Amino acid sequence: MTPATVQLDKAGVAYETVEYDHDPDTGDYGQEAVDALGVDGSLVFKTLVAELDSAELVVAVLPVLCLLDLKALARAAGAKKAAMATPTVAERRTGYVVGGISPFGQRQRQRTFVDESALLYDRIHVSGGRRGLEVVVAPAAFETVLDATFADLRG
């Protein structure tokens, strides 16, 4: 159990966990998950933490095969600019380590923005709160649990 699965359980959200052997030498956690799970890369989503010009931290969830468009994220959040948070800030705020940051069960809740492409699928994969653990959820889980906003975040 991780804080992510605990939060999903408390919310009564259906999910499935999928584990794979994490290679500590990998530098591309998202691609590692795609390769290890043997699923289409458009179904595996990464969780990124960004800082708005107001100093607010927000969470962006988008396919691992895509780059985050920081201008699009800022627009969706009603800000002028956004920049990636440092790994140290992301880890401290979420309570997870980079490569295992889940949008669910974070230490401090941030506004969450999910790429609208998630709505094309019945279920998508996101980190379950540690490297080598994915949770498979319906896109509606992001609204139910996190009150997330769906927007085009891909660059």
Side-chain angles (χ1 to χ4, degrees):
M1 296 189 83
T2 65
T5 59
V6 169
Q7 185 180 39
L8 291 168
D9 286 339
K10 282 184 180 177
V13 171
Y15 66 93
E16 176 187 348
T17 57
V18 181
E19 295 189 60
Y20 61 91
D21 290 328
H22 164 66
D23 177 1
D25 294 325
T26 191
D28 189 340
Y29 303 109
Q31 189 60 51
E32 178 188 39
V34 169
D35 294 341
L37 299 173
V39 297
D40 184 331
S42 60
L43 296 173
V44 180
F45 282 57
K46 58 188 169 186
T47 305
L48 303 174
V49 179
E51 185 173 354
L52 303 177
D53 54 341
S54 64
E56 176 189 5
L57 291 180
V58 295
V59 173
V61 182
L62 69 156
V64 299
L65 302 178
C66 300
L67 295 176
L68 173 61
D69 181 339
L70 289 165
K71 288 181 182 180
L73 176 62
R75 229 180 354 266
K80 292 181 183 176
K81 292 183 181 180
M84 292 303 299
T86 66
T88 302
V89 168
E91 289 179 345
R92 186 174 34 238
R93 183 61 72 96
T94 64
Y96 295 119
V97 297
V98 170
I101 295 177
S102 178
F104 302 108
Q106 293 188 3
R107 180 178 290 147
Q108 294 180 11
R109 188 166 174 175
Q110 282 80 228
R111 286 195 295 158
T112 302
F113 298 86
V114 180
D115 186 71
E116 64 191 10
S117 66
L119 298 171
L120 299 173
Y121 307 104
D122 293 333
R123 300 179 343 139
I124 61 169
H125 295 245
V126 293
S127 175
R130 67 175 162 77
R131 295 172 184 160
L133 176 68
E134 296 281 305
V135 292
V136 186
V137 296
F142 295 96
E143 287 178 308
T144 302
V145 179
L146 303 173
D147 195 26
T149 300
F150 290 91
D152 183 1
L153 303 178
R154 291 161 288 157

